[in-house]
Amino acid sequence: KIQNILKPFGEWGIKLKKNKQDDFSVFQRKIAIRFFGSAILSVLIVVAIYLFLWKRRLGDFIVYLLEFFLQMEHEEAFLIYHNNFRGYKEIFFTVAIITIFLLLLLFLFRWITRYFKEINGGIDNLLEDDESKICLSREMLPFECKLNTVKRNLRQQKEATALAEQRKDELVMYLAHDIRTPLTSVIGYLSLLEEEPDMTVSDRVKNVHIALEKAYRLDKMVNEFFEITRYHSKQIKLSKQNIDLYYMLVQLRDELLPTFTMQNNSIELDFDENTTIYADPEKLARVFSNILKNAVTYSYPNTKIIVSVENTEKHIAILFQNQGETIPAEKISSLFDKFYRLDEARISDTGGTGLGLAIAKEIVLLHGGTIEAKSENEIITFSVILPVS
């Protein structure tokens, strides 16, 4: 599975490495061509002036001007041209080359400025709240890709922030609803006891017992909520040690036996008895217990819950499989959300708190692992993947 998932990224990485040298080569090549082209063009222009003007017509034209304006003889005018113009031709050509090169360089800078304007326009586009793609010149493709990546990341961050805000509001709403249900029952039964002082002893004992059960449930919910908050904020430290995984699951099977016998379900451990894992035993047992409780809740009667193990060099995967109604794909991703219940008909007064799998996820993440679920063909599989060391 991991190889299949990473294969597209590997191909993309090879392609990226292959094209890395071409990222800015087009842009650099075009700048270099413009720069050296300007230098060569300035030299060619000066050579052309020398060959077609200075060496031929321009010298005659200067002699003619001296003759016409200063009323000189041809020999005298030519001598002045020869001594004052032709004798300093090296200086003239140097100045001419530099002047023409600077003019061409000015045009080059104006041409480069156009790219900065394009980038500036692309940055302005980042601030726009739309999905339009940023388009630049062909040689600016690397900048275009990076700007579009930044824009996509900003949009994803914005969506993630909005989703987190929505989840926070839902969390408060669910918490208020779940706490209100047992709290209302406690208040109701205590009010009944207060309003009816002549209540029979048996009725009083019954009502006190029910009120106490609701209070215990309320206390459990509050404790679980604070517990998952502590896991999420990384305030809980792990005490890792080598654990006999098979023995741990045997103990959990014995502890949960009354729950499993209600629907005639059973747990089958299908892995090597000598399997060990390096983790916090108390917290890992909490993970497995929550998964098994969830499995028995949504298993068909008279079926087995099979626990198996898959080992790699770096990871160990513990798989929990049970037979039950296939979970829709859109609900799979929400199984580990706080206060989420797969069966909406299970009200908080009788069902779970909706925090079991969320707590399991936080514990696994704290161990540096991952937890996931999938469901197909009436087989539900929970996978806990933890690092070997």
Side-chain angles (χ1 to χ4, degrees):
K1 292 181 182 178
I2 296 174
Q3 290 177 346
N4 293 334
I5 293 173
L6 293 180
K7 185 177 180 181
F9 293 97
E11 295 175 352
W12 178 79
I14 295 172
K15 185 178 180 182
L16 181 63
K17 184 176 181 181
K18 182 180 179 182
N19 295 331
K20 187 176 181 180
Q21 59 182 1
D22 298 329
D23 273 358
F24 298 96
S25 60
V26 176
F27 182 71
Q28 293 171 346
R29 185 165 58 248
K30 196 159 187 176
I31 294 291
I33 290 174
R34 286 270 182 163
F35 182 81
F36 290 110
S38 298
I40 294 172
L41 185 59
S42 63
V43 173
L44 292 177
I45 291 174
V46 173
V47 170
I49 291 174
Y50 173 74
L51 292 177
F52 298 102
L53 294 177
W54 183 275
K55 190 175 180 181
R56 298 180 181 179
R57 300 179 184 178
L58 186 60
D60 295 337
F61 181 68
I62 294 174
V63 172
Y64 169 76
L65 291 177
L66 293 174
E67 291 175 350
F68 182 79
F69 287 103
L70 300 179
Q71 300 298 317
M72 293 181 178
E73 296 293 332
H74 179 75
E75 290 78 6
E76 185 180 3
F78 181 78
L79 186 61
I80 292 174
Y81 160 71
H82 179 75
N83 293 332
N84 294 281
F85 288 91
R86 199 171 185 180
Y88 297 98
K89 63 181 180 180
E90 291 81 3
I91 298 176
F92 170 80
F93 284 124
T94 302
V95 173
I97 290 175
I98 292 174
T99 302
I100 295 172
F101 178 73
L102 289 176
L103 289 173
L104 293 175
L105 199 61
L106 177 62
F107 284 108
L108 177 64
F109 287 152
R110 293 184 63 183
W111 174 75
I112 293 177
T113 303
R114 177 173 63 88
Y115 289 125
F116 288 104
K117 290 180 179 178
E118 283 191 49
I119 294 175
N120 185 63
I123 294 174
D124 290 337
N125 191 287
L126 289 177
L127 304 176
E128 297 179 5
D129 190 16
D130 56 30
E131 297 184 2
S132 62
K133 186 178 179 181
I134 298 173
C135 297
L136 304 178
S137 305
R138 184 180 66 86
E139 58 270 19
M140 298 285 284
L141 180 61
F143 301 97
E144 176 185 314
C145 294
K146 286 179 172 59
L147 287 173
N148 280 311
T149 300
V150 171
K151 184 171 184 178
R152 183 168 58 253
N153 290 340
L154 289 175
R155 186 169 64 249
Q156 291 174 351
Q157 289 177 4
K158 184 177 180 180
E159 293 173 353
T161 301
L163 180 60
E165 191 68 22
Q166 179 184 348
R167 289 286 178 87
K168 185 182 72 175
D169 294 340
E170 291 175 352
L171 180 62
V172 173
M173 181 183 67
Y174 292 149
L175 180 62
H177 173 268
D178 281 11
I179 288 179
R180 185 178 60 183
T181 303
L183 183 60
T184 301
S185 297
V186 171
I187 294 173
Y189 282 105
L190 291 179
S191 299
L192 184 63
L193 292 170
E194 183 182 35
E195 292 169 0
E196 297 187 17
D198 298 330
M199 185 182 300
T200 63
V201 175
S202 60
D203 288 341
R204 183 178 296 276
V205 170
K206 178 181 177 182
N207 291 334
V208 168
H209 179 71
I210 295 174
L212 187 60
E213 281 188 342
K214 302 298 181 183
Y216 282 147
R217 177 172 179 79
L218 180 60
D219 181 65
K220 179 183 177 183
M221 290 176 59
V222 172
N223 287 337
E224 285 193 347
F225 180 73
F226 279 116
E227 182 180 7
I228 195 172
T229 303
R230 290 175 61 202
Y231 277 117
H232 193 67
S233 60
K234 305 295 185 292
Q235 295 179 6
I236 292 181
K237 302 299 181 182
L238 299 178
S239 299
K240 293 184 179 182
Q241 62 187 62
N242 285 319
I243 305 169
D244 186 332
L245 185 61
Y246 193 89
Y247 181 68
M248 172 184 281
L249 286 166
V250 168
Q251 284 185 311
L252 287 174
R253 180 178 63 184
D254 295 340
E255 291 175 8
L256 297 174
L257 184 61
T259 304
F260 281 84
T261 54
M262 292 177 64
Q263 293 193 111
N264 199 26
N265 296 120
S266 61
I267 301 177
E268 179 180 322
L269 305 182
D270 185 17
F271 61 93
D272 187 358
E273 295 183 10
N274 297 317
T275 303
T276 60
I277 190 170
Y278 187 68
D280 186 311
E282 180 183 350
K283 295 176 178 59
L284 192 61
R286 179 76 176 278
V287 172
F288 296 157
S289 176
N290 289 348
I291 292 176
L292 289 171
K293 288 177 182 177
N294 183 83
V296 72
T297 301
Y298 297 100
S299 288
Y300 292 139
N302 305 308
T303 58
K304 291 182 179 180
I305 297 171
I306 301 175
V307 183
S308 59
V309 171
E310 294 179 0
N311 285 294
T312 64
E313 291 184 0
K314 296 183 178 181
H315 297 90
I316 179 170
I318 303 94
L319 310 180
F320 299 82
Q321 289 186 331
N322 66 283
Q323 298 179 40
E325 186 177 345
T326 301
I327 303 173
E330 62 273 12
K331 292 186 176 182
I332 282 287
S333 59
S334 301
L335 287 178
F336 302 100
D337 291 347
K338 302 178 186 67
F339 297 104
Y340 180 80
R341 297 183 183 86
L342 185 60
D343 187 356
E344 296 179 358
R346 290 177 177 269
I347 59 174
S348 61
D349 193 39
T350 58
T353 62
L355 290 173
L357 292 179
I359 291 175
K361 178 182 178 181
E362 295 296 338
I363 294 174
V364 172
L365 291 177
L366 200 60
H367 278 80
T370 58
I371 183 172
E372 57 187 30
K374 68 175 183 178
S375 178
E376 54 185 15
N377 301 324
E378 297 187 322
I379 299 295
I380 303 170
T381 304
F382 280 84
S383 304
V384 177
I385 304 171
L386 298 173
V388 172
S389 61

